Amino acid sequence: MSFSAEQRECLAGLWERMLAHPFLLQTRDGTITDETFGRWMRQDYLFVEQGVHFLAALLARAPKRHREPLCEAINALLHELTLFEEQAQNAGVDFAGTRPAFVTHAYMQFLTATAHACSYAEAYTVLYTAERAYYESWRVVEDGIAADSKWRPFVHNWAGEAFADYVAHLERELDQLAAAVGADERRRMAALFELTTRYEIAFWEMAVGGETWPAIPEAA
Ligand code: MP5
């Protein structure tokens, strides 16, 4: 069994939990509040900004065959940031002065740490898992969202065919990387797969639950 299939099997319970998250179901069913969706938009905008740095750090260490696809991925992220800005303007969401929520901060630090301190294959595992998580999460939303939902452009960004192809490419490459490393490194890759999945769940939870830090009231 391939590395990615093996992890998906081991972590099936966590992935089910992620894909049944109220944020996704409420967005699909049209019951999500503008406040909640706006919170996710603000925080994900910060995350995607950090994603550009993460990919650039990976690019610096990438094997030759990964250079072009990573350049294309960075370019896609820059377009994605424009999508966020346009949609924020349409929906009256203000990005100015957004501070990272506790989870966003931790997840961004995790990206930076893995990009710089872990092996290339380990960092690539984080990239694949986060992208696969978004693909599957937004597929749940796409299967049932109203045609006139104002959040459709986001849904399509990650649930569409182009993104599916990108995730399939990442999966093939991840499985190749995993096949070439030793047992210890593969165990570390598996641990990062799980940790990234946990961060993804925590991120949806933050979008629903709030941007505050533990024990600190919003106004502080
Ligand atoms: C992604 C994202 C997908 N935007 N936010 C989180 C919390 N996880 C994954 O990454 P990308 O780079 O927007 O496709």
Side-chain angles (χ1 to χ4, degrees), residues 55 69-70 72-74 76-77 124 127-128 131 161-172:
L55 285 180
L70 284 172
E72 284 167 13
I74 291 173
L77 280 200
Y124 205 88
L127 171 64
Y128 167 74
E131 300 290 38
E161 225 166 84
F163 198 73
D165 290 346
Y166 170 56
V167 172
H169 157 79
L170 292 177
E171 185 165 307
R172 282 191 299 275

Side-chain angles (χ1 to χ4, degrees), residues 44 47-48 77 80 107 130-131 134 157-158 163 166 200 203:
D44 212 48
F47 183 84
V48 174
L77 280 200
E80 201 171 289
Y107 199 179
E131 300 290 38
Y134 253 41
N157 184 57
W158 292 288
F163 198 73
Y166 170 56
E200 287 294 327
F203 204 89

Side-chain angles (χ1 to χ4, degrees), residues 40 52 56-57 77 84-86 89 92 94 106 127 146 148 172 178-179 196:
W40 168 78
V52 176
L77 280 200
F84 270 91
E85 286 154 14
E86 286 168 0
Q89 210 165 24
D94 190 3
L127 171 64
D148 60 353
R172 282 191 299 275
T196 308

Side-chain angles (χ1 to χ4, degrees), residues 93-148:
V93 174
D94 190 3
F95 286 157
T98 307
R99 297 172 76 182
F102 190 55
V103 170
T104 312
H105 190 268
Y107 199 179
M108 293 192 310
Q109 294 292 314
F110 173 68
L111 287 188
T112 305
T114 50
H116 293 284
C118 294
S119 75
Y120 181 78
E122 287 162 23
Y124 205 88
T125 307
V126 173
L127 171 64
Y128 167 74
T129 311
E131 300 290 38
R132 173 91 196 208
Y134 253 41
Y135 172 64
E136 288 201 30
S137 294
W138 290 104
R139 291 281 319 166
V140 167
V141 180
E142 177 139 288
D143 290 343
I145 194 170
D148 60 353

